[in-house]
Amino acid sequence: MRLEGKVALVTGAARGIGRGIAHRFAEEGASVGIMDLDAVACQTVVDEITEAEGNALEVHADISDPTQVNAAVAKLQEHFGTITVLMNNAAVMPAGALHETPLEDFDRCLAVNLRGTYLVCSAVIPGMLSVQNGSIIHMASVTGLLGLPGIAVYSMTKGALIALGRVMSTDYAKQGIRTNTVSPGTIDSPMLHDFLAAQSRPEELRQEFNDMHPIGRVGTIQEVANVCLFLASDEASFVSGSNYEVDGGLSSKGEQPQD
Ligand SMILES: NC(=O)c1ccc[n+]([C@@H]2O[C@H](COP(=O)([O-])OP(=O)(O)OC[C@H]3O[C@@H](n4cnc5c(N)ncnc54)[C@H](O)[C@@H]3O)[C@@H](O)[C@H]2O)c1
C-alpha cells in the first residue's frame, strides 16, 4: 500500500497508459480522480477500480478548458481531500513533419499537451502548497529527447514537458513538492494500435518498433505505471527534477551499424 492515504489525479485516465496508472495507484491505496474527455468512459474505469475494491471518482474534463478543469479539481478535493499526487498523462499526437502539420492540429496539440498541463497544475498546486506536500509527474516521451521523424509538434511538446519538470522541481523544492518526468519508448497501447491501424503495413512496422528498442520489444502499460507509482510514492522522497526513460534502452543507443 505504497500510496495509502494519498489522493491522486490522473489525466487521460479513460484508456491506455493513464487507465493503467489509475489502476496501479488505486491498488496501492490511493483515492484516484479519473479525468478524461468522456464522462461515461471515466465512469467505466471508476467502476473497474471500485470492483477491485479501490477508491475512484469520475472527474471528466477537457484539460484545455480552465472552467472544466477547476470544477473537476474542486469536485475531487471535496470528495477525497487535497490532491497530493498529480499524474499529467493526457496528450494528443498529430503526425507529420512540421510543415505538414495543419495549424488546427498544432493548436490542439499545444492546447492539450501544454496548456492542459499548465491548467491542471495551476488548479492542483495551491492545495499541495497548503499541505506542503506533493508529487507531480509529467508524461513526456523519448520523442522529446530524440529526433524521431514524423511527429514534429508532438515531440516539441514532449521536450517542453521535460524542461517544465526540471524548472518546477526547483520552483517548489522548499515547499515539499517534487516534480519528475517519465519518457516512455513505444508502448503497447491503444495509441499504438490506432497508429498502426492507419498504416499500410502494420505488422512490418510493429516488428520495426520491436527491433528499434535494444531490449527487442515495445514496452507494456504496466512497465510505465510501475515507474509512475515509484515517483508518486514516498519511496522517491529524494527524487525530483529527474526524467525517467522507460524505453528498453532506446534513448541510450547510439548510431547502429547499417547492414
Ligand atoms: N503509447 C505510446 O507508445 C507512448 C509513448 C510515449 C509516451 N506516451 C504518452 O503517454 C500518455 C498516454 O498515452 P496513451 O498511449 O495511453 O494514449 P491514448 O491516446 O490511449 O490515451 C490518451 C488519453 O488522453 C485523453 N485526452 C486527450 N485529450 C484530452 C483532453 N483535452 N482532456 C482530457 N483527456 C484527454 C484521451 O481521451 C485518452 O483517453 C500520453 O502523454 C502519450 O504522449 C505514449
Side-chain angles (χ1 to χ4, degrees), residues 73-186:
V73 166
K75 176 180 166 182
L76 182 60
Q77 302 205 113
E78 271 160 32
H79 199 84
F80 285 137
T82 305
I83 298 164
T84 55
V85 174
L86 171 58
M87 180 72 236
N88 287 310
N89 167 79
V92 293
M93 184 178 77
L98 192 74
H99 76 285
E100 296 163 345
T101 309
L103 179 58
E104 196 177 80
D105 292 359
F106 172 90
D107 285 343
R108 186 65 190 154
C109 187
L110 266 65
V112 177
N113 301 11
L114 297 183
R115 178 183 157 101
T117 301
Y118 158 79
L119 289 173
V120 178
C121 285
S122 299
V124 167
I125 287 171
M128 290 182 172
L129 289 173
S130 73
V131 295
Q132 298 277 289
N133 181 262
S135 172
I136 299 175
I137 306 156
H138 302 313
M139 187 64 76
S141 164
V142 288
T143 62
L145 300 165
L146 306 173
L148 299 177
I151 34 174
V153 178
Y154 173 80
S155 305
M156 175 200 285
T157 65
K158 294 301 184 178
L161 289 173
I162 294 167
L164 181 68
R166 291 207 185 95
V167 73
M168 287 178 70
S169 76
T170 59
D171 277 341
Y172 303 110
K174 294 281 194 298
Q175 285 118 326
I177 303 174
R178 297 180 295 105
T179 306
N180 292 286
T181 310
V182 173
S183 290
T186 310

Side-chain angles (χ1 to χ4, degrees), residues 9 11 37 46 51 54 59 69 75 89 94 108-109 113 130 143 148 156 171 185 196 199 209-210 217 224 228 245 250:
L9 173 59
T11 70
L37 290 169
V46 170
E51 200 162 304
V59 287
V69 167
K75 176 180 166 182
N89 167 79
R108 186 65 190 154
C109 187
N113 301 11
S130 73
T143 62
L148 299 177
M156 175 200 285
D171 277 341
L196 290 175
Q199 308 301 314
F209 278 128
N210 286 335
R217 61 171 176 83
V224 178
C228 296
E245 292 132 22
L250 174 60

Side-chain angles (χ1 to χ4, degrees), residues 15 17 36 61-63 89 91 139-140 154 158 185 187 189 191:
R15 73 167 201 172
I17 296 172
D36 208 298
D62 178 339
I63 61 164
N89 167 79
M139 187 64 76
Y154 173 80
K158 294 301 184 178
I187 303 302
S189 69
M191 191 188 245

